[in-house]
Amino acid sequence: GFFQSYAVEVDIKDASNATCLYAEWMMRFSIKYETNSGDYKNAALNLSSIVTHNGSVCGNDTQAALLAVQFGEGHSWSLNFTKTNETYQADFITFTYNTNDTAVFPDAKRKGPVTIVVKDTMHPVQLNNVFVCHNTEFFEAENVTQIFWNVTVQAFVQNGTVSKKESRCRADMPTSTPTVPPTTANVTTASTTTSSPAPTTAPKPVENPDTGNYSLKSGNKTCLLATLGLQLNVSQDKPLLININPKTTSADGTCGNTTATLKLNDGNSTLIGF
């Protein structure tokens, strides 16, 4: 659920050197490919520290805007935007990976660039608003899973200045949080008179998280089953331990012919993708 990748920031200028298209985001790719021996392997493709944005286009009332980046050994990714009088939205993601990159695709049977196109699910955004989505989004097509998070993007920027008005993705929108029984992981101690001093260190969650049963269906058939307990150990200024509570955690995702994705979302909007 926690991915290692470089953040990308692209600031496209128009002929007057004013910003017309701005984006900052993180992404990675999981790609299943066939080897010369006939079996299949999963390759993880991350962004490199050097990313170019050749071919990006500002766009206007009659021409789509295009956000295009190139990275690694012949890999590229692009997203086009169209607009109406009041809104803009992303249309299609085009991703090309190059199996000649032997560091990522060792012993690949198929050589050369492979291109896939997938429809973006971004809802229309008001002009002069910036689209923000911190939660993780998955797009699956043709043995490729594209994973995005910490996305900030504005197409058709007005007056050369990125807007301060945000339009959040659905996954970032607050939801009604179910009542969670107090545990050592989430209890808040009120100020009371007591004979014992309050602890000076943050309490740790129980050693073993509760086990949850999660499943996905494809039509009327169950296509994925998972039984597991989950504890997150997050490295910050101070280590943070979080137990995932199966009573408040819902399962979502997709089952494909060759790949399956399980997403767990708890009442505190913690999202973990497998």
Side-chain angles (χ1 to χ4, degrees):
F2 295 99
F3 306 121
Q4 300 271 347
S5 183
Y6 288 95
V8 188
E9 184 177 19
V10 177
D11 189 348
I12 307 302
K13 308 285 188 180
D14 60 17
S16 63
N17 202 35
T19 297
C20 62
L21 175 59
Y22 176 83
E24 183 178 5
W25 75 103
M26 300 185 78
M27 66 180 176
R28 74 188 296 268
F29 307 91
S30 177
I31 304 166
K32 179 173 283 189
Y33 69 98
E34 186 178 6
T35 66
N36 287 314
S37 59
D39 60 350
Y40 286 82
K41 291 184 177 180
N42 284 312
L45 177 59
N46 296 296
L47 291 180
S48 59
S49 58
I50 300 176
V51 176
T52 58
H53 51 81
N54 300 325
S56 295
V57 177
C58 289
N60 51 43
D61 291 341
T62 59
Q63 181 184 17
L66 181 67
L67 175 64
V69 294
Q70 304 82 38
F71 59 97
E73 299 297 324
H75 314 296
S76 62
W77 180 92
S78 65
L79 176 62
N80 71 309
F81 300 86
T82 55
K83 75 169 184 171
T84 66
N85 290 333
E86 298 180 350
T87 65
Y88 69 91
Q89 69 181 85
D91 286 333
F92 292 97
I93 297 172
T94 303
F95 171 52
T96 299
Y97 60 94
N98 185 8
T99 57
N100 286 326
D101 186 350
T102 56
V104 179
F105 304 99
D107 197 34
K109 182 177 181 179
R110 179 178 179 177
K111 298 294 185 181
V114 181
T115 299
I116 66 167
V117 179
V118 61
K119 176 71 176 174
D120 194 288
T121 58
M122 173 181 170
H123 57 80
V125 178
Q126 286 293 121
L127 288 174
N128 203 35
N129 278 24
V130 59
F131 175 78
V132 177
C133 192
H134 294 305
N135 272 277
T136 309
E137 295 285 345
F138 299 82
F139 293 88
E140 295 186 33
E142 302 179 37
N143 293 336
V144 176
T145 300
Q146 304 182 55
I147 307 162
F148 306 90
W149 68 105
N150 289 349
V151 175
T152 300
V153 61
Q154 184 179 358
F156 308 102
V157 176
Q158 300 178 12
N159 302 320
T161 303
V162 177
S163 176
K164 300 296 184 182
K165 299 178 183 178
E166 292 186 355
S167 178
R168 290 278 184 162
C169 64
R170 293 184 182 92
D172 279 5
M173 298 300 289
T175 57
S176 57
T177 304
T179 302
V180 181
T183 68
T184 52
N186 59 35
V187 67
T188 300
T189 304
S191 260
T192 56
T193 303
T194 175
S195 58
S196 300
T200 56
T201 58
K204 292 183 179 180
V206 292
E207 181 178 354
N208 295 319
D210 291 337
T211 300
N213 296 300
Y214 310 99
S215 63
L216 298 179
K217 285 191 174 183
S218 179
N220 294 324
K221 294 183 179 180
T222 299
C223 59
L224 188 151
L225 289 171
T227 300
L228 70 164
L230 288 170
Q231 183 183 94
L232 308 183
N233 188 334
V234 185
S235 297
Q236 297 178 329
D237 294 336
K238 294 182 179 179
L240 175 64
L241 294 179
I242 305 170
N243 280 350
I244 302 302
N245 185 350
K247 295 180 180 179
T248 60
T249 300
S250 60
D252 191 9
T254 57
C255 293
N257 293 328
T258 58
T259 60
T261 299
L262 173 66
K263 295 187 288 183
L264 300 181
N265 191 8
D266 75 1
N268 295 318
S269 298
T270 300
L271 181 68
I272 307 173
F274 298 93

